[in-house]
């Protein structure tokens, strides 16, 4: 494993207009933490929620991506790793699992 992966789930407490009926960003964060934890059991990783309208408690890189998401009207939640957006709207686990595998994680199920 290269280094411990930290997945960022960017979103808002307000569901975006084009995402009505989809899980909230916070629900996506919780779902992602559980799903990745099952797939890559006993391998360290983090999932952090970032409110795109109040990212001030985070690093400058995270704040910059939050601003980009707002300015460019991304559908959220947006999932990112190392400043790279890997999912937008309703994230697909297959894509996220691939990012984890590419970084040296080994599926346990």
């Amino acid at each position: 494993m290269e280094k411990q992966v930290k997945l960022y789930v960017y979103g808002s407490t307000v569901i975006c207009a084009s995402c009505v009926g989809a899980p909230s960003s916070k629900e996506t964060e919780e779902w992602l933490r559980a799903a990745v934890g099952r797939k890559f059991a006993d391998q360290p990783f983090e999932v952090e929620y970032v409110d795109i309208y109040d990212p001030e408690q985070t690093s400058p890189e995270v704040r910059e991506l939050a601003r980009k998401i707002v300015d460019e009207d991304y559908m959220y939640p947006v999932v990112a790793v190392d400043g790279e957006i890997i999912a937008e709207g309703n994230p697909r686990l297959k894509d996220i699992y691939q990012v984890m595998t590419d970084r040296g994680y080994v599926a346990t199920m």
Side-chain angles (χ1 to χ4, degrees):
M1 179 179 339
E2 293 176 20
K3 65 177 184 173
Q4 179 175 312
V5 168
K6 186 167 188 176
L7 299 164
Y8 289 92
V9 178
Y10 292 82
S12 173
T13 55
V14 177
I15 296 175
C16 71
S18 55
C19 302
V20 173
S24 71
S25 299
K26 194 68 174 155
E27 289 169 330
T28 299
E29 174 217 5
E30 294 164 359
W31 164 77
L32 192 57
R33 182 178 289 114
V36 171
R38 283 190 302 273
K39 184 77 169 180
F40 301 100
D42 302 320
Q43 296 170 72
F45 70 94
E46 290 181 63
V47 179
E48 182 176 321
Y49 173 77
V50 178
D51 186 322
I52 59 175
Y53 296 109
D54 187 24
E56 299 309 314
Q57 71 282 6
T58 59
S59 70
E61 297 83 20
V62 172
R63 286 194 300 270
E64 181 63 31
L65 189 52
R67 283 189 199 100
K68 179 179 178 179
I69 291 166
V70 171
D71 292 347
E72 297 181 16
D73 292 324
Y74 280 80
M75 289 192 321
Y76 48 88
V78 171
V79 179
V81 174
D82 298 331
E84 176 189 350
I85 294 174
I86 59 171
E88 177 185 358
N90 193 2
R92 293 176 15 153
L93 280 177
K94 181 180 178 183
D95 297 338
I96 293 165
Y97 290 164
Q98 186 61 53
V99 167
M100 300 293 286
T101 302
D102 290 349
R103 284 170 169 72
Y105 284 73
V106 178
T108 57
M109 59 176 265

